[in-house]
Amino acid sequence: ETGVTQTPRHLVMGMTNKKSLKCEQHLGHNAMYWYKQSAKKPLELMFVYSLEERVENNSVPSRFSPECPNSSHLFLHLHTLQPEDSALYLCASSQEYRAQPQHFGDGTRLSIL
Amino acid sequence: SQQGEEDPQALSIQEGENATMNCSYKTSINNLQWYRQNSGRGLVHLILIRSNEREKHSGRLRVTLDTSKKSSSLLITASRAADTASYFCATDDRASGSRLTFGEGTQLTVNP
């Protein structure tokens, strides 16, 4: 148990659907991260929030829209995704922005039909 | 841009043997970390070694860091089947203000 919970664990959606991924951390951390993990590629940092404010957006297409309503919750809203967006999406948290180590959830396995 | 690269990409050993994985990187770092990922799960932090440290131990894990060669190694002694997982190094890059950069990982299989 890492203290970071992601739901759903698996998601299959069509390219025209709208869905959301949810992440909740029970560690009292101030920073939260979204990563994309594709086969045979390093983890890609997508977004970073610190104290509910977005501090990094790493050239992520607008079809991915993050939301951080409070320091314990992080969402990733998905809309009009492409087949190449199929991947494992991992949420992580840390005590402060860019503090280490980061604590990861188990991810959402996303498949785009 | 900075990137940790693990070597080998895959490693298969027998239970009880030692496993060694290597990581190379390109720029100056504040620290280097190793994470483990079991199949279908998230990453779990194993150990962090700072740039002014040369060796660190945690249980059956031994990590070395050679900043002159920009490389690190992770040694798992007396391996167990439960050690089967992917292992990633992550570098805290000074130039990017402590952003973590992950490598592609080493897939370790420990056969019973």
Side-chain angles (χ1 to χ4, degrees):
Chain A
E1 181 59 52
T2 66
V4 180
T5 304
Q6 290 188 243
T7 55
R9 292 294 311 280
H10 302 272
L11 179 61
V12 179
M13 56 188 286
M15 288 191 286
T16 58
N17 291 157
K18 289 183 182 180
K19 296 286 184 182
S20 296
L21 310 185
K22 179 182 176 182
C23 175
E24 182 175 0
Q25 58 97 359
H26 311 274
L27 301 168
H29 288 171
N30 291 324
M32 297 186 77
Y33 309 75
W34 278 118
Y35 287 90
K36 176 183 180 182
Q37 186 178 32
S38 305
K40 308 293 185 185
K41 293 176 68 175
L43 258 69
E44 299 172 54
L45 180 62
M46 301 175 70
F47 301 103
V48 184
Y49 277 81
S50 175
L51 296 170
E52 303 144 45
E53 179 181 340
R54 191 189 310 180
V55 294
E56 288 192 44
N57 176 346
N58 292 290
S59 303
V60 180
S62 59
R63 56 186 184 269
F64 295 91
S65 174
E67 178 190 3
C68 187
N70 56 63
S71 58
S72 298
H73 293 85
L74 185 64
F75 295 89
L76 188 62
H77 304 299
L78 315 173
H79 175 50
T80 321
L81 296 193
Q82 304 299 309
E84 62 265 27
D85 297 324
S86 296
L88 181 67
Y89 289 84
L90 292 164
C91 173
S93 71
S94 64
Q95 188 66 53
E96 304 294 340
Y97 175 42
R98 292 193 173 173
Q100 283 122 39
Q102 293 181 14
H103 299 256
F104 285 80
D106 284 337
T108 295
R109 173 67 63 186
L110 176 65
S111 299
I112 306 300
L113 301 178
Chain B
S1 61
Q2 156 95 59
Q3 182 175 6
E5 298 180 3
E6 289 91 344
D7 168 56
Q9 288 189 323
L11 180 61
S12 182
I13 60 174
Q14 295 300 122
E15 210 165 22
E17 294 180 341
N18 296 341
T20 300
M21 289 159 271
N22 302 296
C23 171
S24 60
Y25 56 92
K26 296 183 174 71
T27 66
S28 294
I29 62 172
N30 293 313
N31 64 62
L32 184 144
Q33 302 167 48
W34 286 91
Y35 286 80
R36 183 188 73 225
Q37 183 178 34
N38 290 80
S39 180
R41 305 297 296 274
L43 277 71
V44 175
H45 180 260
L46 295 176
I47 197 165
L48 180 153
I49 186 165
R50 301 191 188 284
S51 60
N52 61 353
E53 297 176 310
R54 291 297 166 258
E55 187 171 313
K56 203 161 184 180
H57 297 255
S58 177
R60 292 183 296 113
L61 306 181
R62 172 178 169 252
V63 169
T64 62
L65 178 64
D66 187 335
T67 52
S68 66
K69 295 181 180 178
K70 291 186 166 50
S71 68
S72 173
S73 67
L74 170 67
L75 169 68
I76 303 174
T77 60
S79 64
R80 305 166 181 167
D83 294 328
T84 295
S86 292
Y87 291 82
F88 297 86
C89 70
T91 50
D92 174 342
D93 181 6
R94 280 182 190 160
S96 69
S98 293
R99 173 182 290 187
L100 269 191
T101 303
F102 288 83
E104 294 181 22
T106 292
Q107 173 60 52
L108 173 66
T109 302
V110 181
N111 301 299

